[in-house]
Amino acid sequence: MNKIRVLIVDDSAIVREILTQRLSRDPRIEVVGSAMDPYVARDKLEKLEVDVITLDIEMPRMDGLTFLRLLMQQAPMPVIIVSSLAKEANEAAMKALELGAVDVVPKPGGPFSVEEVIPYLADRIVAASAANVSRLREHLTIASKPLSPSIGSASIKKNAKPASYLANIRTTNQLIAIGASTGGTVALEVLFREWEPDFPPTLVVIHMPEHFTATFAARLNDLSRARVKEAVEGDRLQIGTIYVAPGNFHMLLRAHGTERTIKIVQGPKVCNQRPAVDPLFDSVATHAGRNCIAALLTGMGRDGAQGLLKIREAGGYTIAQDEESSIVWGMPKEAIDLGAAQTVLALDRITRHIRERL
């Protein structure tokens, strides 16, 4: 197996040294070079064969977002943003995902030790190396289509009238559960642009670090007619609301009689992930069963496949994203191979299909 060739772009000599030394210990990865700014990175890209770039955002001479925009126009390739946790940096990281970065990882230091960040970053590099960047750019084109100025406004969300085919939802316990990983940020944007404000409560797990999920949920809220929020302990499920699992915590469905709430737990990692899709899907299979529609989207690995199977066995309806529309066809493929998916669909057909099933 060929090693994944990585170029590290960061203005901090210490960060470059740490990432180079520690990532080079991973047998899957070869750090072929580093650069202190985008100009140096450009020169190295002309001389080196590179599979994945790790990119800082705040750099001298040219910032990371400008470099990313130019790179995606001229020589698209998988890019992982390695960013600080400052609010401004979180917002910039979301902008980077909008421009074509495949993932975002916290920079070592502060609340995240090198020991925590490096294994996580290494796994994300492996996933990024398998990403279909051309497919990503197609989804970004869909996700960036102009919205009506008021589509995500509070008044639209509050005053939206239920569609006739959704009238029965108010008297059922239906819910929707979705899992995603690499490529999932843009996949969810495509999905939720078409989401109805009277769809059942929707629970979402995406593999994303702590602190970034709140910013991502806020971005989705601006794009969707439904309300989107980062989930908190004890949230009561409401129609027309999408709940995004907080980074570094698992999200579970909890039921007491007819009341359904969200439980947030840390617990051990599952499939090397926290949050992970399987714990959510397992709890949904137990407490929702036949009242659930679940979808497993793009991502590396097998997280969510076993949970999707449990939902199907409990009588729920299950969907896997197809290979052609997936940025990384790992998690959906695992689910399909297990017989967990009743239906396999392209990303742009999933929302419409869910609407038809309700």
Side-chain angles (χ1 to χ4, degrees):
M1 177 179 173
N2 294 330
K3 290 188 176 184
I4 300 162
R5 296 163 300 211
V6 177
L7 175 66
I8 296 166
V9 185
D10 197 297
D11 67 325
S12 167
I14 294 175
V15 171
R16 294 198 304 274
E17 181 179 0
I18 290 172
L19 294 185
T20 299
Q21 290 184 353
R22 297 300 292 268
L23 288 174
S24 295
R25 298 178 188 175
D26 192 303
R28 301 169 295 178
I29 294 170
E30 177 186 4
V31 178
V32 294
S34 65
M36 65 178 293
D37 64 35
Y39 290 97
V40 178
R42 178 198 59 192
D43 293 341
K44 297 218 170 176
L45 284 170
E46 292 178 353
K47 302 173 184 176
L48 301 171
E49 291 188 30
V50 176
D51 299 313
V52 177
I53 294 175
T54 70
L55 180 63
D56 189 15
I57 291 177
E58 298 179 6
M59 290 181 289
R61 299 209 289 171
M62 181 187 291
D63 64 87
L65 292 180
T66 301
F67 176 64
L68 178 63
R69 184 182 294 108
L70 294 171
L71 183 71
M72 289 303 162
Q73 291 171 355
Q74 299 171 13
M77 64 186 308
V79 175
I80 297 175
I81 298 299
V82 181
S83 175
S84 71
L85 297 176
K87 180 180 179 182
E88 297 78 9
N90 284 359
E91 293 171 353
M94 294 303 107
K95 179 65 177 177
L97 292 171
E98 181 183 331
L99 291 173
V102 297
D103 224 322
V104 57
V105 172
K107 188 172 286 192
F112 293 98
S113 68
V114 173
E115 285 69 25
E116 290 176 298
V117 170
I118 295 300
Y120 183 82
L121 175 57
D123 287 343
R124 307 317 281 173
I125 287 170
V126 173
S129 71
N132 184 331
V133 178
S134 296
R135 183 67 60 200
L136 175 62
R137 295 176 76 193
E138 291 175 13
H139 292 340
L140 286 167
T141 300
I142 297 171
S144 63
K145 287 181 180 178
L147 292 167
S148 166
S150 59
I151 193 168
S153 70
S155 61
I156 290 291
K157 297 174 194 291
K158 180 179 179 180
N159 297 321
K161 296 180 180 180
S164 58
Y165 60 84
L166 295 173
N168 67 318
I169 291 177
R170 295 192 179 280
T171 59
T172 72
N173 288 320
Q174 285 183 287
L175 63 82
I176 300 169
I178 299 172
S181 186
T182 307
T185 52
V186 65
L188 291 172
E189 288 183 16
V190 171
L191 215 62
F192 292 148
R193 286 171 67 93
E194 308 256 330
W195 220 243
E196 299 288 351
D198 272 346
F199 268 11
T202 302
L203 307 181
V204 177
V205 167
I206 181 169
H207 299 159
M208 185 175 278
E210 192 173 0
H211 303 293
F212 291 102
T213 44
T215 307
F216 180 57
R219 171 169 172 74
L220 290 177
N221 188 61
D222 290 338
L223 293 172
S224 179
R225 287 183 293 173
R227 176 178 176 238
V228 186
K229 69 185 295 289
E230 184 182 54
V232 297
E233 171 69 24
D235 268 341
R236 294 183 179 182
L237 299 195
Q238 296 182 351
I239 289 169
T241 302
I242 298 166
Y243 302 88
V244 178
N248 202 35
F249 292 87
H250 297 305
M251 178 172 68
L252 310 175
L253 174 65
R254 180 168 51 188
H256 297 287
T258 59
E259 183 178 80
R260 297 173 303 165
T261 59
I262 287 174
K263 183 176 180 63
I264 303 296
V265 298
Q266 194 151 48
K269 292 183 178 181
V270 176
C271 296
N272 204 32
Q273 302 292 337
R274 191 173 57 226
V277 182
D278 271 330
L280 171 64
F281 281 6
D282 290 352
S283 68
V284 165
T286 299
H287 297 298
R290 67 180 65 251
N291 289 320
C292 173
I293 297 174
L296 192 58
L297 307 182
T298 175
M300 175 70 80
R302 56 186 175 83
D303 184 27
Q306 288 286 351
L308 198 72
L309 179 61
K310 289 181 181 180
I311 290 173
R312 181 173 187 177
E313 291 173 341
Y317 186 77
T318 57
I319 302 167
Q321 186 176 349
D322 72 356
E323 180 177 8
E324 187 174 353
S325 70
S326 293
I327 307 303
V328 178
W329 201 53
M331 290 157 48
K333 180 181 185 301
E334 290 288 334
I336 294 166
D337 289 346
L338 279 177
Q342 289 167 267
T343 304
V344 180
L345 294 171
L347 177 65
D348 61 2
R349 293 184 56 205
I350 291 175
T351 299
R352 182 169 66 252
H353 189 72
I354 289 174
R355 184 186 296 122
E356 292 167 353
R357 293 289 308 185
L358 293 171

PDB file of all heavy atoms in Angstrom, residues 106-125:
ATOM      1  N   PRO A 106      -8.941  20.562  14.867  1.00  0.00           N
ATOM      2  CA  PRO A 106      -8.381  21.585  15.752  1.00  0.00           C
ATOM      3  C   PRO A 106      -6.859  21.537  15.781  1.00  0.00           C
ATOM      4  O   PRO A 106      -6.251  20.472  15.685  1.00  0.00           O
ATOM      5  CB  PRO A 106      -8.974  21.234  17.117  1.00  0.00           C
ATOM      6  CG  PRO A 106      -9.282  19.783  17.040  1.00  0.00           C
ATOM      7  CD  PRO A 106      -9.673  19.528  15.610  1.00  0.00           C
ATOM      8  N   LYS A 107      -6.254  22.694  15.912  1.00  0.00           N
ATOM      9  CA  LYS A 107      -4.794  22.778  15.998  1.00  0.00           C
ATOM     10  C   LYS A 107      -4.349  22.297  17.370  1.00  0.00           C
ATOM     11  O   LYS A 107      -5.007  22.573  18.380  1.00  0.00           O
ATOM     12  CB  LYS A 107      -4.348  24.228  15.768  1.00  0.00           C
ATOM     13  CG  LYS A 107      -2.843  24.409  15.649  1.00  0.00           C
ATOM     14  CD  LYS A 107      -2.490  25.840  15.226  1.00  0.00           C
ATOM     15  CE  LYS A 107      -2.800  26.081  13.778  1.00  0.00           C
ATOM     16  NZ  LYS A 107      -2.212  27.346  13.266  1.00  0.00           N
ATOM     17  N   PRO A 108      -3.253  21.550  17.475  1.00  0.00           N
ATOM     18  CA  PRO A 108      -2.779  21.115  18.796  1.00  0.00           C
ATOM     19  C   PRO A 108      -2.418  22.307  19.665  1.00  0.00           C
ATOM     20  O   PRO A 108      -1.875  23.298  19.186  1.00  0.00           O
ATOM     21  CB  PRO A 108      -1.553  20.248  18.477  1.00  0.00           C
ATOM     22  CG  PRO A 108      -1.162  20.574  17.077  1.00  0.00           C
ATOM     23  CD  PRO A 108      -2.399  21.039  16.385  1.00  0.00           C
ATOM     24  N   GLY A 109      -2.735  22.184  20.946  1.00  0.00           N
ATOM     25  CA  GLY A 109      -2.518  23.275  21.889  1.00  0.00           C
ATOM     26  C   GLY A 109      -3.835  23.668  22.517  1.00  0.00           C
ATOM     27  O   GLY A 109      -4.911  23.357  22.014  1.00  0.00           O
ATOM     28  N   GLY A 110      -3.787  24.381  23.649  1.00  0.00           N
ATOM     29  CA  GLY A 110      -5.014  24.767  24.330  1.00  0.00           C
ATOM     30  C   GLY A 110      -5.717  23.541  24.870  1.00  0.00           C
ATOM     31  O   GLY A 110      -5.102  22.678  25.508  1.00  0.00           O
ATOM     32  N   PRO A 111      -7.031  23.390  24.575  1.00  0.00           N
ATOM     33  CA  PRO A 111      -7.773  22.251  25.121  1.00  0.00           C
ATOM     34  C   PRO A 111      -7.450  20.921  24.450  1.00  0.00           C
ATOM     35  O   PRO A 111      -7.844  19.874  24.939  1.00  0.00           O
ATOM     36  CB  PRO A 111      -9.237  22.644  24.873  1.00  0.00           C
ATOM     37  CG  PRO A 111      -9.185  23.569  23.722  1.00  0.00           C
ATOM     38  CD  PRO A 111      -7.887  24.318  23.837  1.00  0.00           C
ATOM     39  N   PHE A 112      -6.738  20.950  23.326  1.00  0.00           N
ATOM     40  CA  PHE A 112      -6.446  19.720  22.597  1.00  0.00           C
ATOM     41  C   PHE A 112      -4.951  19.440  22.600  1.00  0.00           C
ATOM     42  O   PHE A 112      -4.162  20.207  22.039  1.00  0.00           O
ATOM     43  CB  PHE A 112      -6.953  19.816  21.159  1.00  0.00           C
ATOM     44  CG  PHE A 112      -8.450  19.865  21.049  1.00  0.00           C
ATOM     45  CD1 PHE A 112      -9.097  21.083  20.903  1.00  0.00           C
ATOM     46  CD2 PHE A 112      -9.213  18.718  21.119  1.00  0.00           C
ATOM     47  CE1 PHE A 112     -10.476  21.145  20.809  1.00  0.00           C
ATOM     48  CE2 PHE A 112     -10.587  18.756  21.032  1.00  0.00           C
ATOM     49  CZ  PHE A 112     -11.229  19.984  20.879  1.00  0.00           C
ATOM     50  N   SER A 113      -4.572  18.347  23.231  1.00  0.00           N
ATOM     51  CA  SER A 113      -3.163  17.980  23.295  1.00  0.00           C
ATOM     52  C   SER A 113      -2.711  17.378  21.980  1.00  0.00           C
ATOM     53  O   SER A 113      -3.520  16.949  21.148  1.00  0.00           O
ATOM     54  CB  SER A 113      -2.937  16.963  24.425  1.00  0.00           C
ATOM     55  OG  SER A 113      -3.555  15.726  24.093  1.00  0.00           O
ATOM     56  N   VAL A 114      -1.396  17.336  21.795  1.00  0.00           N
ATOM     57  CA  VAL A 114      -0.833  16.701  20.601  1.00  0.00           C
ATOM     58  C   VAL A 114      -1.285  15.247  20.529  1.00  0.00           C
ATOM     59  O   VAL A 114      -1.611  14.730  19.450  1.00  0.00           O
ATOM     60  CB  VAL A 114       0.708  16.793  20.624  1.00  0.00           C
ATOM     61  CG1 VAL A 114       1.305  15.991  19.483  1.00  0.00           C
ATOM     62  CG2 VAL A 114       1.158  18.241  20.554  1.00  0.00           C
ATOM     63  N   GLU A 115      -1.320  14.569  21.685  1.00  0.00           N
ATOM     64  CA  GLU A 115      -1.704  13.159  21.726  1.00  0.00           C
ATOM     65  C   GLU A 115      -3.142  12.943  21.259  1.00  0.00           C
ATOM     66  O   GLU A 115      -3.484  11.891  20.719  1.00  0.00           O
ATOM     67  CB  GLU A 115      -1.527  12.599  23.147  1.00  0.00           C
ATOM     68  CG  GLU A 115      -0.086  12.345  23.552  1.00  0.00           C
ATOM     69  CD  GLU A 115       0.715  13.649  23.721  1.00  0.00           C
ATOM     70  OE1 GLU A 115       0.091  14.692  23.995  1.00  0.00           O
ATOM     71  OE2 GLU A 115       1.954  13.614  23.556  1.00  0.00           O
ATOM     72  N   GLU A 116      -4.005  13.946  21.485  1.00  0.00           N
ATOM     73  CA  GLU A 116      -5.390  13.837  21.033  1.00  0.00           C
ATOM     74  C   GLU A 116      -5.513  14.170  19.550  1.00  0.00           C
ATOM     75  O   GLU A 116      -6.231  13.492  18.805  1.00  0.00           O
ATOM     76  CB  GLU A 116      -6.279  14.794  21.831  1.00  0.00           C
ATOM     77  CG  GLU A 116      -6.490  14.421  23.282  1.00  0.00           C
ATOM     78  CD  GLU A 116      -7.306  15.473  24.010  1.00  0.00           C
ATOM     79  OE1 GLU A 116      -6.836  16.633  24.102  1.00  0.00           O
ATOM     80  OE2 GLU A 116      -8.411  15.147  24.477  1.00  0.00           O
ATOM     81  N   VAL A 117      -4.821  15.218  19.125  1.00  0.00           N
ATOM     82  CA  VAL A 117      -5.011  15.732  17.770  1.00  0.00           C
ATOM     83  C   VAL A 117      -4.385  14.832  16.711  1.00  0.00           C
ATOM     84  O   VAL A 117      -4.999  14.561  15.675  1.00  0.00           O
ATOM     85  CB  VAL A 117      -4.449  17.171  17.647  1.00  0.00           C
ATOM     86  CG1 VAL A 117      -4.414  17.610  16.182  1.00  0.00           C
ATOM     87  CG2 VAL A 117      -5.283  18.133  18.470  1.00  0.00           C
ATOM     88  N   ILE A 118      -3.160  14.360  16.943  1.00  0.00           N
ATOM     89  CA  ILE A 118      -2.430  13.656  15.884  1.00  0.00           C
ATOM     90  C   ILE A 118      -3.149  12.395  15.405  1.00  0.00           C
ATOM     91  O   ILE A 118      -3.310  12.207  14.183  1.00  0.00           O
ATOM     92  CB  ILE A 118      -0.988  13.335  16.328  1.00  0.00           C
ATOM     93  CG1 ILE A 118      -0.203  14.629  16.535  1.00  0.00           C
ATOM     94  CG2 ILE A 118      -0.305  12.456  15.288  1.00  0.00           C
ATOM     95  CD1 ILE A 118      -0.093  15.510  15.297  1.00  0.00           C
ATOM     96  N   PRO A 119      -3.606  11.495  16.279  1.00  0.00           N
ATOM     97  CA  PRO A 119      -4.313  10.309  15.754  1.00  0.00           C
ATOM     98  C   PRO A 119      -5.577  10.694  14.990  1.00  0.00           C
ATOM     99  O   PRO A 119      -5.900  10.079  13.969  1.00  0.00           O
ATOM    100  CB  PRO A 119      -4.652   9.516  17.031  1.00  0.00           C
ATOM    101  CG  PRO A 119      -3.677   9.987  18.050  1.00  0.00           C
ATOM    102  CD  PRO A 119      -3.441  11.434  17.752  1.00  0.00           C
ATOM    103  N   TYR A 120      -6.276  11.713  15.495  1.00  0.00           N
ATOM    104  CA  TYR A 120      -7.488  12.168  14.812  1.00  0.00           C
ATOM    105  C   TYR A 120      -7.147  12.734  13.441  1.00  0.00           C
ATOM    106  O   TYR A 120      -7.787  12.404  12.440  1.00  0.00           O
ATOM    107  CB  TYR A 120      -8.179  13.226  15.679  1.00  0.00           C
ATOM    108  CG  TYR A 120      -9.489  13.724  15.103  1.00  0.00           C
ATOM    109  CD1 TYR A 120     -10.670  13.001  15.277  1.00  0.00           C
ATOM    110  CD2 TYR A 120      -9.553  14.916  14.387  1.00  0.00           C
ATOM    111  CE1 TYR A 120     -11.869  13.450  14.754  1.00  0.00           C
ATOM    112  CE2 TYR A 120     -10.744  15.368  13.860  1.00  0.00           C
ATOM    113  CZ  TYR A 120     -11.898  14.639  14.051  1.00  0.00           C
ATOM    114  OH  TYR A 120     -13.083  15.086  13.517  1.00  0.00           O
ATOM    115  N   LEU A 121      -6.122  13.588  13.394  1.00  0.00           N
ATOM    116  CA  LEU A 121      -5.707  14.181  12.125  1.00  0.00           C
ATOM    117  C   LEU A 121      -5.241  13.102  11.145  1.00  0.00           C
ATOM    118  O   LEU A 121      -5.562  13.159   9.954  1.00  0.00           O
ATOM    119  CB  LEU A 121      -4.597  15.204  12.361  1.00  0.00           C
ATOM    120  CG  LEU A 121      -3.964  15.842  11.114  1.00  0.00           C
ATOM    121  CD1 LEU A 121      -5.023  16.513  10.247  1.00  0.00           C
ATOM    122  CD2 LEU A 121      -2.875  16.833  11.518  1.00  0.00           C
ATOM    123  N   ALA A 122      -4.496  12.125  11.640  1.00  0.00           N
ATOM    124  CA  ALA A 122      -4.016  11.047  10.765  1.00  0.00           C
ATOM    125  C   ALA A 122      -5.180  10.304  10.121  1.00  0.00           C
ATOM    126  O   ALA A 122      -5.168  10.020   8.919  1.00  0.00           O
ATOM    127  CB  ALA A 122      -3.136  10.084  11.560  1.00  0.00           C
ATOM    128  N   ASP A 123      -6.205  10.003  10.910  1.00  0.00           N
ATOM    129  CA  ASP A 123      -7.375   9.313  10.359  1.00  0.00           C
ATOM    130  C   ASP A 123      -8.096  10.181   9.334  1.00  0.00           C
ATOM    131  O   ASP A 123      -8.594   9.689   8.327  1.00  0.00           O
ATOM    132  CB  ASP A 123      -8.342   8.930  11.486  1.00  0.00           C
ATOM    133  CG  ASP A 123      -7.830   7.765  12.323  1.00  0.00           C
ATOM    134  OD1 ASP A 123      -6.921   7.055  11.858  1.00  0.00           O
ATOM    135  OD2 ASP A 123      -8.329   7.578  13.445  1.00  0.00           O
ATOM    136  N   ARG A 124      -8.160  11.489   9.600  1.00  0.00           N
ATOM    137  CA  ARG A 124      -8.836  12.387   8.660  1.00  0.00           C
ATOM    138  C   ARG A 124      -8.040  12.520   7.351  1.00  0.00           C
ATOM    139  O   ARG A 124      -8.604  12.671   6.278  1.00  0.00           O
ATOM    140  CB  ARG A 124      -9.049  13.771   9.281  1.00  0.00           C
ATOM    141  CG  ARG A 124      -9.746  13.793  10.632  1.00  0.00           C
ATOM    142  CD  ARG A 124     -10.925  12.875  10.722  1.00  0.00           C
ATOM    143  NE  ARG A 124     -12.117  13.411  10.084  1.00  0.00           N
ATOM    144  CZ  ARG A 124     -13.239  12.723   9.920  1.00  0.00           C
ATOM    145  NH1 ARG A 124     -13.304  11.461  10.310  1.00  0.00           N
ATOM    146  NH2 ARG A 124     -14.279  13.281   9.347  1.00  0.00           N
ATOM    147  N   ILE A 125      -6.711  12.451   7.466  1.00  0.00           N
ATOM    148  CA  ILE A 125      -5.875  12.476   6.262  1.00  0.00           C
ATOM    149  C   ILE A 125      -6.152  11.245   5.410  1.00  0.00           C
ATOM    150  O   ILE A 125      -6.272  11.335   4.179  1.00  0.00           O
ATOM    151  CB  ILE A 125      -4.380  12.562   6.648  1.00  0.00           C
ATOM    152  CG1 ILE A 125      -4.054  13.971   7.165  1.00  0.00           C
ATOM    153  CG2 ILE A 125      -3.485  12.206   5.462  1.00  0.00           C
ATOM    154  CD1 ILE A 125      -2.678  14.099   7.782  1.00  0.00           C
TER     155      ILE A 125
END
